[in-house]
Amino acid sequence: MAENIIILGSGIAALQLAAHLSGRFNVTIITKSAKKTSNSYKAQGGIAAVLSPEDCFEFHMEDTLKAGRFHHADKEVEKLVKEGAAAAKALIKSGLPVDRLPDGELDLGLEGAHTAHRILHCGGDATGRYVIEHLLGQLGENVQVIEHELAFELLISPESGSVIGVKTKTASGKIRRYFGAHTVIATGGLGSLYPFTSNHPEIIGDGIAMAYRAGAELADMEFVQFHPTLLFAGCGAKGLVSEAVRGEGAVLVDEDGNPIMANAHPLKDLAPRHIVAYQIYQTLKQRKKVFLNIKTIKNFEKRFPTITEICRQNGVDIHSGLLPVVPGSHFFMGGILTDTYGRTTVKGLYAIGEVACSGVHGANRLASNSLLEGLVFGKRLAEFLNGQAPAGTPDKTPEESRPPLIPELVRFLDTDELKKKMMEKAGIIRNEAALQAHLEWFKALEADTFSDFSLDHLSREEIEKVFMFTNSFLITQSALSRTESRGAHIRADYPEEREEWKGVHLIHSKANGIAKRRGLHEQAQTAIHA
């Protein structure tokens, strides 16, 4: 009898896993919207991998560690880089239509904080779409995809404490239960907790909140990466302007034409993202608009067709040579704490991709290491599960013992107000007074208690509100606790990196609250008593 494996999410990590799982598994992929509605599908950037004789693993590792301010699990970075190159080569061999030079060699791009040309692209700035379409085409007959069902609660065996499946809610509000020997969360990050974001509007950290509710440990919730360049039109951010544009020579300027990165960092416009985002933010605070000057880039429309189309749809004339930009939330370095195979601290539950904190990104992800992470951990978890002895699929439905969350506590929660406050209080620049006030706001709304209650009776919209407020509370709590600036976490009142915080991770769990720990995984954990 075939074993059931449940995968939540339909991005690159989920599909890579499904494509590499043995045919002995029945694989069910569940996504709350359409299967192509993911950050992976939207990804303009490419896949960072050592594919050139002028490059080497050591260079890629060093760039990754520098960008993430040495907050990584170093062995995991080494494995990411080495396995990532092999995964990229395997994709090319399997027929992925990658961009090439006229002589047939790979057309490898350069992006911020990289010291070598190592970015593999497809269709110019449409890499994510090409990769997702390719992986969808590789799924076997043992894989079914269920769309438009919101996974909202992990099912836990009362006997073993293991995760044995998941509850979902359909568009009509019906609850369904799926059981499996293994449940994998690959739901992506939480960028849409902020008003300006490159993420799809539905990316709010569902999987992170679900894992937390189930008792899994979370790590590094304070590290939210803000991409420097989102296209600004009308009154909001309309899409990502890839880092590759600056890699091709575009320069950030203020409304007077002054280059804003000239004296900010030795790499200027290709400095790490948190530095570039900070400079843009500071310029905007001076009530000066910021533009990306693309006048030196030849054949922009051909080189960046996706960005060209975003500009056209939003009335931005690329022929002016100036694209208005603002920083916005982009990637989440924290998430569900996992080991090298994607195992969480709860038996039967795994997490891969952006939803997981595996130690490969540190305090600030290096450009184009995200698709790489999905490929590496998807394949690695597949190989791990393929090697496990068959386990029976449970069929006992656990009873819900928690009291229902009072609907009135949720119904009037304002997500627009939440997003605005997240940007103001826990955005690019943070300080103790703002974070403390934000934390008190959450407590007044009782958002810190939401995970103690059942959500069965709530609508999908109300459940998503609960997840948004839960995740935002945890981010704020971590940001207040880390009294230094490191990578994407910038504290105005603690502007420097502090030695006592080096290698220290903030761990969240329902059982123990928030605690400091040196090392992420069990083999290297040392508790620190605050």
Side-chain angles (χ1 to χ4, degrees):
M1 182 178 177
E3 292 176 79
N4 294 337
I5 288 183
I6 301 164
I7 303 174
L8 308 179
S10 60
I12 189 170
L15 298 180
Q16 175 81 334
L17 167 62
H20 285 84
L21 283 170
S22 165
R24 71 180 172 93
F25 295 111
N26 286 327
V27 182
T28 302
I29 295 174
I30 303 172
T31 178
K32 70 175 180 178
S33 52
K35 61 187 175 184
K36 296 178 183 179
T37 303
S38 67
N39 281 344
S40 297
Y41 195 85
K42 293 177 63 179
Q44 295 176 6
I47 301 167
V50 177
L51 301 170
S52 162
E54 286 78 39
D55 199 5
C56 67
F57 295 141
E58 289 74 18
F59 291 167
H60 192 179
M61 288 171 56
E62 184 178 356
D63 291 347
T64 299
L65 294 170
K66 282 183 177 178
R69 300 311 308 149
F70 308 99
H71 190 68
H72 311 68
D74 290 7
K75 289 182 180 179
E76 292 303 324
V77 174
E78 181 179 2
K79 287 194 282 188
L80 174 78
V81 166
K82 292 180 177 179
E83 292 177 29
K89 291 175 183 176
L91 267 182
I92 296 169
K93 187 176 180 180
S94 67
L96 181 70
V98 298
D99 293 350
R100 295 182 181 274
L101 298 169
D103 63 1
E105 292 296 311
L106 296 174
D107 185 5
L108 299 174
L110 179 70
E111 292 186 356
H114 287 271
T115 56
H117 286 74
R118 64 168 70 98
I119 315 302
L120 187 71
H121 289 279
C122 303
D125 56 1
T127 307
R129 175 165 59 85
Y130 276 82
V131 174
I132 294 298
E133 297 281 9
H134 184 73
L135 290 175
L136 283 170
Q138 292 188 324
L139 299 182
E141 293 182 357
N142 62 320
V143 180
Q144 68 165 328
V145 180
I146 297 174
E147 299 177 294
H148 307 294
E149 287 193 24
L150 172 68
F152 72 94
E153 200 77 77
L154 295 166
L155 298 172
I156 300 175
S157 166
E159 289 83 20
S160 66
S162 301
V163 169
I164 57 174
V166 66
K167 279 192 286 192
T168 70
K169 187 154 287 199
T170 67
S172 64
K174 181 181 178 181
I175 291 178
R176 290 180 176 162
R177 292 171 175 82
Y178 298 86
F179 293 92
H182 311 282
T183 301
V184 184
I185 300 178
T187 52
L190 40 64
S192 290
L193 299 181
Y194 292 86
F196 296 156
T197 180
S198 63
N199 289 203
H200 188 278
E202 293 191 351
I203 306 298
I204 57 170
D206 311 64
I208 295 167
M210 287 170 59
Y212 178 72
R213 289 172 59 83
E217 289 187 341
L218 311 179
D220 291 350
M221 294 292 287
E222 67 272 32
F223 293 116
V224 181
Q225 182 184 86
F226 288 83
H227 197 287
T229 51
L230 304 185
L231 185 72
F232 187 79
C235 296
K238 302 300 183 182
L240 182 70
V241 180
S242 171
E243 196 130 12
V245 176
R246 279 174 283 135
E248 293 289 325
V251 175
L252 288 160
V253 298
D254 64 20
E255 60 189 37
D256 299 319
N258 302 311
I260 68 172
M261 294 302 299
N263 301 310
H265 191 275
L267 292 176
K268 298 181 180 179
D269 294 86
L270 291 177
R273 286 176 173 174
H274 65 284
I275 294 173
V276 182
Y278 177 78
Q279 287 300 122
I280 296 175
Y281 182 78
Q282 292 293 81
T283 305
L284 293 171
K285 282 192 70 176
Q286 297 170 20
R287 300 190 181 279
K288 288 188 175 183
K289 296 177 182 178
V290 176
F291 299 89
L292 198 54
N293 186 330
I294 61 170
K295 294 176 182 177
T296 61
I297 301 178
K298 298 178 181 178
N299 301 316
F300 185 90
E301 295 101 319
K302 184 177 180 181
R303 179 70 183 87
F304 300 104
T306 302
I307 298 171
T308 299
E309 180 60 19
I310 293 172
C311 289
R312 187 194 66 77
Q313 290 176 358
N314 291 283
V316 176
D317 180 15
I318 65 167
H319 299 293
S320 70
L322 296 173
L323 307 184
V325 293
V326 292
S329 60
H330 183 57
F331 192 85
F332 186 49
M333 281 72 66
I336 305 167
L337 180 60
T338 62
D339 70 0
T340 193
Y341 298 110
R343 292 179 293 190
T344 73
T345 54
V346 177
K347 188 177 179 182
L349 181 65
Y350 308 79
I352 52 175
E354 188 177 351
V355 77
C357 184
S358 61
V360 298
H361 297 309
N364 193 36
R365 175 179 65 82
L366 180 67
S368 288
N369 269 2
S370 54
L371 294 181
L372 184 74
E373 177 192 22
L375 292 172
V376 167
F377 279 87
K379 185 172 186 291
R380 194 189 299 166
L381 178 55
E383 292 173 346
F384 174 79
L385 294 175
N386 290 341
Q388 297 299 296
T393 297
D395 57 4
K396 183 177 180 181
T397 303
E399 296 294 328
E400 177 59 77
S401 59
R402 289 169 294 187
L405 183 59
I406 300 172
E408 284 70 27
L409 285 177
V410 180
R411 201 158 290 152
F412 300 107
L413 293 177
D414 187 334
T415 55
D416 288 336
E417 182 183 16
L418 172 68
K419 292 178 181 183
K420 181 180 178 182
K421 283 182 174 289
M422 283 297 288
M423 193 66 184
E424 292 174 349
K425 309 292 188 182
I428 300 174
I429 312 296
R430 302 158 173 180
N431 65 69
E432 181 178 359
L435 290 166
Q436 187 64 56
H438 200 33
L439 209 59
E440 295 304 319
W441 181 68
F442 284 119
K443 290 179 179 178
L445 296 171
E446 300 185 39
D448 55 328
T449 70
F450 287 171
S451 59
D452 298 329
F453 296 90
S454 168
L455 308 179
D456 287 6
H457 59 296
L458 299 180
S459 68
R460 284 177 52 142
E461 180 185 8
E462 289 166 343
I463 291 171
E464 289 184 310
K465 283 185 180 182
V466 168
F467 290 165
M468 292 177 73
F469 276 78
T470 298
N471 289 328
S472 298
F473 170 77
L474 296 173
I475 290 170
T476 304
Q477 194 175 43
S478 282
L480 180 61
S481 298
R482 181 172 287 276
T483 53
E484 68 159 351
S485 291
R486 187 176 296 273
H489 172 67
I490 302 173
R491 287 281 297 262
D493 45 351
Y494 294 96
E496 306 295 331
E497 291 180 1
R498 300 175 69 185
E499 186 63 28
E500 61 264 35
W501 276 103
K502 187 175 182 180
V504 174
H505 301 268
L506 290 169
I507 309 297
H508 282 276
S509 69
K510 274 190 67 180
N512 301 312
I514 185 170
K516 298 177 183 177
R517 182 186 295 163
R518 286 196 183 277
L520 280 170
H521 308 308
E522 289 181 5
Q523 63 268 31
Q525 288 179 0
T526 305
I528 301 173
H529 300 286

